Amino acid sequence: MDSNKMAVSINKAINTQEVAVKEKHARTCILGTHHEKGAHTFWLAVNRLPLSSNAVLCWKFCHVFHKLLRDGHPNVIKDSMRHKADLNDMSRMWGHLSEGYGKLCSIYLKLLITKMEFHIKNPRFPGNLQMSNRQLDEAGENDVNNFFQLTVEMFDYLDCELNLFLGVFSSLDMSRSVSVTAAGQCRLAPLIQVILDSSHLYDYTVKLLFKLHSCLPADTLQGHRDRFQEQFKKLKSLFYRSSNLQYFKRLIQIPQLPENPPNFLRASALSEHISPVVVIPAESPESEHVVETEDLVDTDIPPLASTVDSKFDDLFGTSAATDPFNFNNQNGMRKDEKDRLIEQLTAELQAVKEELESFRLESGRLCQALRGRVNELEAELAEQTHLKQQALGESEFLRVELDDLRRVKEDTEKEQRSLSEIERKAQANEQRYTKLKEKYTELVQSHADLLRKNAEVTRQMTVACAAQDEVENVKKEMQDRLKAAQDATSQQEKTQLEQLQALQAELMSSRSELETLKSTITSSQQSTEQLSTQLSALEAEKAGLIETVSQKEAELASLGVELKRVQSSLTNERESGVKATEALQNQLNEKESREQSLESELVSLRWVALRAALEEAGRIVQDCLNQLEDPAHISCTSSADYLVCRCQVALDCVERLQSARDGFVSDNTDVSGLVRAVTQFAHLVGDVIVQGSATSHMVPVEQADALADNVKECGAEALALLCQLKEQESVGTADCSRLRAALDTVMVLGEKLRPRGLELQQGELGDLVEQEMAATSAAVESAAARIEEMLNKSRAVDTGIKMEVNERILASCTDLMQAIKVLVLSSKDLQRDIVESGRGAASMKEFYVKNSRWTEGLISASKAVGWGATMLVDAADQMVQGTGKFEELMVCSHEIAASTAQLVAASKVKADKDSPNLSRLRQASKGVTQATAGVVASTKSGKSQIEDTETMDFSAMTLTQIKRQEMDAQVLVLELETRLQKERERLGELRKKHYELAGVAEGWGGEEEGTG
């Protein structure tokens, strides 16, 4: 194949038209890769395309590239890996778009990159993923670690396939028949390749999981089973939705997954698994003949048109002298009548040609369908043969396992004999113990000079007792092991016998199905013979149609008489048509005049509606200005943050009002946009006036006067603007700049009045609350996990009293983490109730901005809880390792109690006293207090228990040494008391400074926020 022809096909397949890729162009590209044994030409052509600037072009490139990876030459994957970095960059670039083809291209490119990496890591897998069971076993090299890793990679691969599936379906409007439109087919076409890949990945994943469950414990594979369950539900739903689309019904037969996923804990469930088979129907003759003639030439069937033309020439001749339709020479008819008759006869002949063509195509389609059915039956026969061989192999494997079990039984008998020997040794040890006890009794009655020897004998007796206990433990352990081995052997023998019986039954059913398939093949051969007889009958019918053409010639004379009658009737109808045209013209003129009058009335109604909306907006703004003079309004307060937020919203509304005004001036037929903008404008400007006045009640007198004056000026400018919009002459020249300047001035004053500690943007404050609460939850979860890990390490390393103390302290820390987790969740629920009950029509972020100081209190409390949990885990870790102190652990516990108390106070300050979430928060707070007391109590108990083991032995010291130690202890006590007093003073100063910094950062000392 010429590389230029392949480049032309690539450019035809990958274009900017939103239609599906034509199969003939994709097939040419696939054949080109096999011809040149690589993808060099493909990438040379693709690199010239602007894939980064057109999403449809990139989408069709991904479709063609996916086909090449599946059906192209194996070297396509290797040649494409060098472009992996470019594909990654393109995926990240398209990922910035949140909808349309951009998002789909990003997902598709990630899938293609994952597919290339999978095949590079696992070169045994072909591009189309079609493998036998034997090849799948060879891919894992009979190593359970390889099978484990291969299963994880297949899960990742299938996740990418499902993401593309979900992305395409979510981008389509499934309420309409999108699968029959060109744009819908453009998005759905690549899913055929996804369905083919997904069916193979699902089948291989099931087989690998059964193999892993036969080698590894079930608990180890819990994560694999959970991930498979999730993918099974998604894949089953997507297959079902795809099978209902009209587009897929004529292109692919989608399999249906079973109702429930396989039970991997039951080994015999593997025999119930049926591999999903995706069937692509054979292409119809219509689609085969669409291929361009310069690429493929059909040498079996001659062109129908030329054949029919030659037969027509044989029947009627070609020369003008012998033409039976030469009416000038035969009957002297006019030339135009001759042409009309020739055209009529040609049309009838063309209809006959089309009917013959349809007969031929139908017979070809039936033959092709029969061939496809025969191929399916042959494939099923091969599959049954393969299953039979697999069953024989499994029976041989089970026989080998039975031999292994017998050997295990023999080993168990040997262990039982060794156990009897251990019992005899234990009896000998008991006799030795008796003799030592008698000797000990004699030595006690002997002289006091032999006390040292008596102590030696006592130690020997202790060793003998330990040996006896060890022997008894070994005896019990061997008995338990023997009993467990016997039970396991009997259970495995029963299981093996049941599996052998199931395999034999399956083998018998496979033989019966094989006989059924043979009979089906015989019946299909008979149906082929019947089709051949039908084809001969069609040939006879074709001869009859040719005779019908000759009979049409006889009817031609009668048609001439009918023509004259039709001409006379046509003249009469023409005269009546002229009269009807005049009447319709008169009606049209009347309708135009009526439409003009209605149009004028509609214009006046539009202005009436607009003036009514403007007058209502003026009344709203004037009412807000009147509220400023109401004495009851003095008790209303608001924050500068909320005022700035409302000013910004009002400025945006002014811009929308100006845009709506411009649109109405250019096209006055649509007044709805301007009416909506005026209504929203009145409410937002009125809100700015009310909130500005309420904010002025919270600030000093000078700033309050300036803010009140600017708010009133803003209201006056809004009324002036509404008055200009009422008049038709001034609506086009109405200026919003003065109102915009007044709103800007109010917003600048509000910015100056904001608290110094609030340095966040309005949109970021609400997000920061959620982030800090999520970070606190994550810190608590991480702390609990670290404590559990430390507990496991302590059990493996420490022994005796130290292990007991560590377990008790870490268990109390775990209880504290659980109590903090419950407290944080209760705090979240209470905060959600507070926001929902207090925000009204505003959004959640606007509520947080309006109550910014309360919000910052929540943020500070959340940070303190997360920091305290982290410090507690660090102190516990150091204590377990022996480098920390018990006092650090107790201090961290008290700090957590204080932080949680701060979080509770910040959460319930705005809560309803009858809220059920508030009562749950209080209960959780009590739980944290109790858990903190438990940590302190367990720490003190552990400390005293360890200190008791370090007893003070002064028996070997003289009087002088004891006096010296007493003086040193008194000096140390005085030093520690002095240091304790200084540290207490330092602690007091640190707390004062902490409160000052916290007050500045969180804006303490201000008035209560919100509108009273």
Side-chain angles (χ1 to χ4, degrees):
M1 179 181 291
D2 189 5
S3 60
N4 294 328
K5 187 179 296 183
M6 181 179 176
V8 171
S9 298
I10 293 171
N11 291 327
K12 289 182 178 180
I14 307 174
N15 54 46
T16 58
Q17 298 178 0
E18 194 174 358
V19 295
V21 176
K22 290 186 177 180
E23 189 65 28
K24 61 180 181 179
H25 300 320
R27 188 185 299 115
T28 304
C29 297
I30 294 171
L31 293 175
T33 60
H34 287 281
H35 179 73
E36 68 175 6
K37 294 181 174 55
H40 301 291
T41 304
F42 173 77
W43 283 108
L44 286 176
V46 166
N47 287 334
R48 301 190 187 101
L49 299 176
L51 300 179
S52 300
S53 59
N54 192 300
V56 177
L57 192 70
C58 183
W59 177 254
K60 299 181 79 170
F61 155 73
C62 294
H63 185 189
V64 176
F65 186 35
H66 197 172
K67 281 180 170 288
L68 294 184
L69 292 178
R70 278 186 52 83
D71 303 324
H73 194 272
N75 290 335
V76 171
I77 299 175
K78 299 178 182 177
D79 295 341
S80 303
M81 281 301 293
R82 68 189 63 177
H83 301 278
K84 175 184 172 183
D86 297 335
L87 297 178
N88 267 320
D89 296 339
M90 198 184 306
S91 174
R92 285 194 297 270
M93 187 271 293
W94 287 118
H96 294 301
L97 300 180
S98 60
E99 59 184 10
Y101 278 100
K103 181 180 179 181
L104 296 180
C105 289
S106 176
I107 299 174
Y108 208 164
L109 288 169
K110 292 178 182 177
L111 169 60
L112 297 176
I113 294 170
T114 304
K115 182 176 181 65
M116 289 191 298
E117 293 175 346
F118 176 81
H119 288 290
I120 290 299
K121 292 180 181 177
N122 305 279
R124 294 178 184 267
F125 283 83
N128 55 10
L129 295 175
Q130 294 181 0
M131 296 180 69
S132 63
N133 292 335
R134 182 179 58 82
Q135 292 173 334
L136 184 63
D137 292 337
E138 293 176 354
E141 299 177 355
N142 293 326
D143 187 354
V144 67
N145 295 322
N146 293 341
F147 285 126
F148 190 92
Q149 182 62 28
L150 182 60
T151 307
V152 174
E153 293 174 359
M154 285 189 176
F155 280 147
D156 297 338
Y157 192 175
L158 189 55
D159 277 339
C160 295
E161 303 276 3
L162 295 176
N163 289 338
L164 181 60
F165 233 132
L166 293 172
V168 172
F169 276 166
S170 62
S171 67
L172 296 175
D173 185 4
M174 304 308 292
S175 62
R176 298 183 295 175
S177 300
V178 294
S179 63
V180 298
T181 63
Q185 292 176 2
C186 181
R187 300 193 183 195
L188 292 173
L191 296 186
I192 296 177
Q193 313 300 319
V194 176
I195 292 171
L196 292 171
D197 287 346
S198 300
S199 61
H200 290 300
L201 290 173
Y202 166 77
D203 184 30
Y204 299 154
T205 303
V206 171
K207 294 176 180 178
L208 289 177
L209 283 176
F210 273 111
K211 187 179 294 294
L212 288 174
H213 278 79
S214 64
C215 302
L216 296 175
D219 295 340
T220 305
L221 300 173
Q222 181 63 43
H224 280 50
R225 290 196 299 274
D226 294 341
R227 194 171 181 185
F228 175 81
Q229 296 279 353
E230 181 181 358
Q231 291 184 348
F232 174 82
K233 293 178 182 177
K234 291 182 180 179
L235 188 62
K236 180 181 177 181
S237 174
L238 293 174
F239 275 7
Y240 176 75
R241 293 173 64 185
S242 302
S243 62
N244 294 330
L245 292 178
Q246 189 66 30
Y247 176 68
F248 289 123
K249 289 182 179 179
R250 64 184 182 86
L251 295 178
I252 189 172
Q253 183 178 345
I254 302 174
Q256 295 299 325
L257 299 184
E259 185 66 24
N260 296 316
N263 185 7
F264 299 109
L265 302 179
R266 184 167 56 91
S268 60
L270 178 60
S271 60
E272 302 172 2
H273 170 65
I274 300 176
S275 300
V277 179
V278 180
V279 179
I280 298 180
E283 293 182 354
S284 62
E286 290 87 342
S287 62
E288 292 178 357
H289 286 83
V290 175
V291 182
E292 297 179 356
T293 56
E294 65 266 21
D295 294 336
L296 299 174
V297 179
D298 192 355
T299 58
D300 296 334
I301 303 175
L304 180 63
S306 62
T307 304
V308 177
D309 290 342
S310 63
K311 291 183 179 180
F312 181 82
D313 293 340
D314 293 340
L315 289 173
F316 302 105
T318 57
S319 64
T322 61
D323 188 359
F325 300 101
N326 192 348
F327 298 100
N328 291 332
N329 295 334
Q330 293 183 8
N331 50 13
M333 296 180 66
R334 293 193 305 272
K335 187 174 182 180
D336 55 351
E337 293 180 351
K338 169 193 169 185
D339 294 339
R340 185 184 61 79
L341 293 174
I342 290 175
E343 291 176 355
Q344 183 178 359
L345 186 59
T346 304
E348 294 177 355
L349 185 60
Q350 184 65 28
V352 173
K353 291 179 184 179
E354 293 176 354
E355 189 173 358
L356 288 174
E357 178 69 13
S358 65
F359 283 143
R360 189 186 68 80
L361 294 177
E362 181 66 20
S363 62
R365 187 186 64 79
L366 292 174
C367 292
Q368 187 69 21
L370 286 174
R371 292 193 193 97
R373 180 59 181 167
V374 170
N375 292 334
E376 291 178 7
L377 293 175
E378 290 177 352
E380 291 179 1
L381 180 60
E383 181 67 19
Q384 293 297 330
T385 305
H386 175 69
L387 290 175
K388 177 183 177 182
Q389 295 176 356
Q390 184 178 0
L392 291 175
E394 290 181 353
S395 63
E396 182 65 26
F397 175 73
L398 293 174
R399 191 177 296 107
V400 173
E401 284 190 351
L402 186 58
D403 295 338
D404 293 339
L405 289 175
R406 288 173 180 170
R407 287 195 296 271
V408 170
K409 186 176 181 181
E410 293 176 358
D411 295 338
T412 305
E413 292 176 354
K414 293 180 181 179
E415 291 179 355
Q416 190 174 5
R417 288 193 295 270
S418 63
L419 180 61
S420 61
E421 294 178 0
I422 293 173
E423 289 178 352
R424 289 194 297 270
K425 292 181 179 179
Q427 292 176 358
N429 286 331
E430 288 179 359
Q431 295 175 0
R432 187 181 302 112
Y433 168 71
T434 304
K435 294 178 181 180
L436 290 174
K437 187 176 182 181
E438 293 174 356
K439 186 177 181 180
Y440 169 71
T441 305
E442 294 175 358
L443 290 175
V444 169
Q445 297 174 359
S446 64
H447 197 268
D449 295 337
L450 301 177
L451 289 176
R452 187 177 302 169
K453 294 181 180 179
N454 188 13
E456 184 70 22
V457 173
T458 303
R459 284 196 296 271
Q460 292 178 1
M461 184 183 66
T462 306
V463 173
C465 292
Q468 182 183 3
D469 294 339
E470 183 177 359
V471 169
E472 291 179 355
N473 293 333
V474 171
K475 180 180 177 181
K476 291 181 181 179
E477 183 179 357
M478 293 305 295
Q479 289 177 352
D480 295 339
R481 290 176 59 187
L482 176 60
K483 185 177 180 180
Q486 289 176 352
D487 294 340
T489 303
S490 60
Q491 186 66 26
Q492 289 180 358
E493 287 179 355
K494 291 180 182 179
T495 305
Q496 299 298 333
L497 290 175
E498 291 176 357
Q499 291 180 355
L500 284 174
Q501 292 174 0
L503 289 173
Q504 290 176 357
E506 185 177 356
L507 182 60
M508 296 299 294
S509 63
S510 299
R511 290 176 179 173
S512 62
E513 290 179 0
L514 181 61
E515 295 297 331
T516 306
L517 291 176
K518 289 181 179 178
S519 62
T520 307
I521 292 173
T522 305
S523 62
S524 64
Q525 292 177 354
Q526 294 175 358
S527 62
T528 305
E529 295 175 357
Q530 292 177 0
L531 287 176
S532 61
T533 58
Q534 292 178 2
L535 186 61
S536 61
L538 290 174
E539 292 292 339
E541 187 176 355
K542 177 181 176 183
L545 290 173
I546 295 175
E547 294 177 358
T548 305
V549 172
S550 61
Q551 292 176 0
K552 295 293 181 181
E553 183 178 359
E555 298 176 359
L556 194 61
S558 61
L559 290 175
V561 178
E562 183 70 19
L563 176 63
K564 292 180 181 180
R565 187 181 63 80
V566 170
Q567 286 178 349
S568 63
S569 63
L570 181 62
T571 303
N572 296 330
E573 290 179 357
R574 187 181 294 110
E575 294 176 357
S576 61
V578 171
K579 296 178 180 179
T581 303
E582 294 176 355
L584 291 174
Q585 185 65 34
N586 295 332
Q587 295 178 1
L588 182 62
N589 294 333
E590 293 177 359
K591 184 177 180 181
E592 289 179 353
S593 61
R594 192 182 305 112
E595 287 181 352
Q596 291 177 358
S597 62
L598 291 175
E599 183 66 27
S600 61
E601 292 178 2
L602 183 60
V603 171
S604 62
L605 289 175
R606 290 195 192 102
W607 274 103
V608 169
L610 179 59
R611 287 194 182 97
L614 291 170
E615 290 175 358
E616 183 63 26
R619 282 193 290 271
I620 292 173
V621 175
Q622 187 61 46
D623 181 64
C624 294
L625 289 173
N626 294 336
Q627 287 185 20
L628 303 184
E629 307 299 331
D630 190 357
H633 183 65
I634 298 176
S635 61
C636 298
T637 59
S638 180
S639 65
D641 304 316
Y642 189 65
L643 175 62
V644 171
C645 176
R646 304 313 294 166
C647 287
Q648 184 62 47
V649 176
L651 285 172
D652 296 338
C653 183
V654 171
E655 296 294 336
R656 289 195 296 273
L657 176 63
Q658 188 170 2
S659 301
R661 191 280 312 271
D662 296 339
F664 177 73
V665 170
S666 61
D667 182 14
N668 59 0
T669 58
D670 186 12
V671 75
S672 59
L674 184 57
V675 171
R676 285 194 299 269
V678 167
T679 304
Q680 188 179 17
F681 165 78
H683 285 90
L684 292 177
V685 171
D687 192 15
V688 169
I689 294 171
V690 173
Q691 296 299 331
S693 177
T695 304
S696 66
H697 300 156
M698 299 278 294
V699 298
V701 178
E702 295 179 358
Q703 296 176 346
D705 293 340
L707 183 58
D709 294 340
N710 282 280
V711 166
K712 292 178 181 178
E713 181 181 358
C714 179
E717 293 296 336
L719 292 174
L721 177 61
L722 293 175
C723 292
Q724 291 178 359
L725 292 176
K726 289 181 183 178
E727 304 298 331
Q728 296 185 11
E729 296 79 8
S730 61
V731 66
T733 59
D735 189 10
C736 303
S737 59
R738 298 180 63 183
L739 175 60
R740 194 182 296 109
L743 287 173
D744 289 334
T745 304
V746 174
M747 188 166 68
V748 170
L749 291 175
E751 290 287 350
K752 293 180 180 179
L753 296 175
R754 295 180 70 183
R756 291 177 297 171
L758 187 61
E759 300 176 357
L760 295 172
Q761 297 293 331
Q762 294 180 2
E764 297 175 354
L765 188 60
D767 296 336
L768 188 58
V769 175
E770 300 295 333
Q771 293 173 6
E772 287 299 332
M773 294 301 292
T776 302
S777 300
V780 173
E781 291 286 348
S782 176
R786 286 186 58 190
I787 290 173
E788 185 66 23
E789 182 181 358
M790 286 187 289
L791 184 58
N792 294 331
K793 290 182 179 180
S794 176
R795 289 172 178 171
V797 176
D798 299 327
T799 58
I801 295 176
K802 185 175 182 182
M803 182 181 69
E804 180 183 353
V805 171
N806 290 341
E807 285 183 350
R808 188 162 59 249
I809 293 175
L810 293 177
S812 62
C813 292
T814 303
D815 296 339
L816 178 58
M817 289 298 112
Q818 295 298 328
I820 293 174
K821 182 179 178 181
V822 173
L823 178 69
V824 172
L825 294 177
S826 302
S827 176
K828 286 184 178 179
D829 295 337
L830 182 60
Q831 292 168 24
R832 192 179 299 111
D833 291 347
I834 293 171
V835 173
E836 291 297 330
S837 62
R839 66 185 179 93
S843 65
M844 184 178 296
K845 292 184 178 179
E846 291 175 352
F847 179 84
Y848 281 127
V849 171
K850 183 178 179 181
N851 300 274
S852 58
R853 292 173 186 159
W854 175 71
T855 304
E856 289 184 344
L858 288 178
I859 295 172
S860 176
S862 299
K863 288 182 178 179
V865 171
W867 177 81
T870 304
M871 294 301 295
L872 177 67
V873 173
D874 293 337
D877 190 9
Q878 294 177 1
M879 186 274 297
V880 171
Q881 294 177 1
T883 59
K885 300 178 181 179
F886 290 93
E887 290 77 9
E888 293 179 355
L889 195 59
M890 290 187 286
V891 170
C892 291
S893 301
H894 290 302
E895 184 63 26
I896 287 181
S899 301
T900 52
Q902 181 184 355
L903 180 60
V904 170
S907 298
K908 70 181 183 180
V909 67
K910 287 183 175 292
D912 186 7
K913 63 179 181 179
D914 297 328
S915 174
N917 286 325
L918 179 59
S919 61
R920 283 196 292 269
L921 180 64
R922 290 171 176 170
Q923 190 66 28
S925 177
K926 293 180 182 178
V928 171
T929 303
Q930 294 175 358
T932 303
V935 172
V936 175
S938 60
T939 304
K940 291 181 178 179
S941 176
K943 179 181 178 182
S944 62
Q945 191 173 359
I946 291 179
E947 289 177 352
D948 290 341
T949 59
E950 300 173 358
T951 59
M952 301 180 184
D953 187 10
F954 306 117
S955 60
M957 299 179 63
T958 63
L959 178 61
T960 306
Q961 292 175 344
I962 291 176
K963 188 65 175 177
R964 180 63 180 177
Q965 291 289 341
E966 181 182 358
M967 294 175 64
D968 294 339
Q970 290 177 354
V971 172
L972 183 60
V973 167
L974 293 175
E975 290 177 352
L976 291 176
E977 288 177 351
T978 304
R979 185 179 176 185
L980 176 61
Q981 184 64 28
K982 291 182 179 179
E983 290 297 326
R984 284 176 175 169
E985 294 175 357
R986 182 170 177 268
L987 177 60
E989 294 298 325
L990 286 173
R991 286 177 176 172
K992 290 180 181 179
K993 191 63 177 178
H994 175 263
Y995 293 151
E996 292 176 2
L997 294 177
V1000 173
E1002 299 178 9
W1004 294 352
E1007 296 291 331
E1008 185 67 18
E1009 296 173 349
T1011 302

